[in-house]
Amino acid sequence: MRLETERLIITEFEISMSEGVHKNSLDEDTRRFVPDEVFETIEDARKTVEFLMSVYESGDGPLVYPVLLKDGTNIGYVQLVPVEEGFEVGYHIAKEYTNNGYATEALKAFIDCILTEKHLDRVYGICVAENVASVRVLEKCGFIRQFEGEGKYQGKDKAIATYVYAIN
């Protein structure tokens, strides 16, 4: 996959991106909202990047794509993850690059492409309800809230918000 927007490139991982993945994973938002995506060492990030690269071929697991600025700087990712109900999108922009509209820009480009590529008519977005920025991104991208309340998030009971994006 390779998508380009006005300011971003969404592409496939390369091993050379491991250091950027490591650096982006260490911010307080990652630690707070997606702690299983914190890579304390470059080696930990490299192992994960290798796994994610293998999924492009096998299709068995999450499809995660780095989000780069046009100059090649890795600022985060978008992803499609199999869940019990179908598929869920995910995204993260490193704290240093937030509040610039990058998550919304990346997710808008990614949704239509991945739904077409995977022949899907809907995809879910699930986040911790207190993650106001994530809620805002989903809503700006046309997701409709289905549920807010207690639910499982990364294996723990939390207040969550569940959204759906459907092609009519």
Side-chain angles (χ1 to χ4, degrees), residues 27-73:
D27 68 52
E28 67 262 19
D29 287 347
T30 305
R31 291 184 187 280
R32 181 175 174 199
F33 296 118
V34 282
D36 68 329
E37 295 177 10
V38 173
F39 306 107
E40 297 294 350
T41 67
I42 294 171
E43 179 62 18
D44 290 342
R46 185 189 62 75
K47 288 177 184 175
T48 298
V49 168
E50 285 178 342
F51 166 73
L52 295 173
M53 289 170 59
S54 75
V55 174
Y56 299 142
E57 300 247 347
S58 71
D60 188 26
L63 291 169
V64 184
Y65 302 93
V67 174
L68 312 174
L69 295 176
K70 291 283 182 150
D71 69 4
T73 303

Side-chain angles (χ1 to χ4, degrees), residues 7-130:
R7 303 178 297 165
L8 305 172
I9 299 168
I10 299 168
T11 189
E12 294 184 357
F13 274 111
E14 298 173 5
I15 289 297
S16 62
M17 297 175 180
S18 299
E19 187 172 348
V21 169
H22 160 69
K23 181 181 172 238
N24 290 345
S25 80
L26 299 177
D27 68 52
E28 67 262 19
D29 287 347
T30 305
R31 291 184 187 280
R32 181 175 174 199
F33 296 118
V34 282
D36 68 329
E37 295 177 10
V38 173
F39 306 107
E40 297 294 350
T41 67
I42 294 171
E43 179 62 18
D44 290 342
R46 185 189 62 75
K47 288 177 184 175
T48 298
V49 168
E50 285 178 342
F51 166 73
L52 295 173
M53 289 170 59
S54 75
V55 174
Y56 299 142
E57 300 247 347
S58 71
D60 188 26
L63 291 169
V64 184
Y65 302 93
V67 174
L68 312 174
L69 295 176
K70 291 283 182 150
D71 69 4
T73 303
N74 183 329
I75 65 167
Y77 65 82
V78 291
Q79 66 183 352
L80 182 73
V81 180
V83 293
E84 194 173 303
E85 304 81 19
F87 289 90
E88 172 191 357
V89 293
Y91 44 88
H92 179 72
I93 300 298
K95 182 83 169 164
E96 178 179 351
Y97 302 98
T98 59
N99 297 314
N100 291 299
Y102 294 136
T104 301
E105 185 175 333
L107 188 58
K108 279 182 179 178
F110 181 66
I111 292 168
D112 289 333
C113 178
I114 202 70
L115 289 177
T116 300
E117 183 179 304
K118 296 298 178 187
H119 308 288
L120 301 172
D121 65 353
R122 72 183 58 241
V123 66
Y124 297 92
I126 303 166
C127 62
V128 175
E130 70 180 272

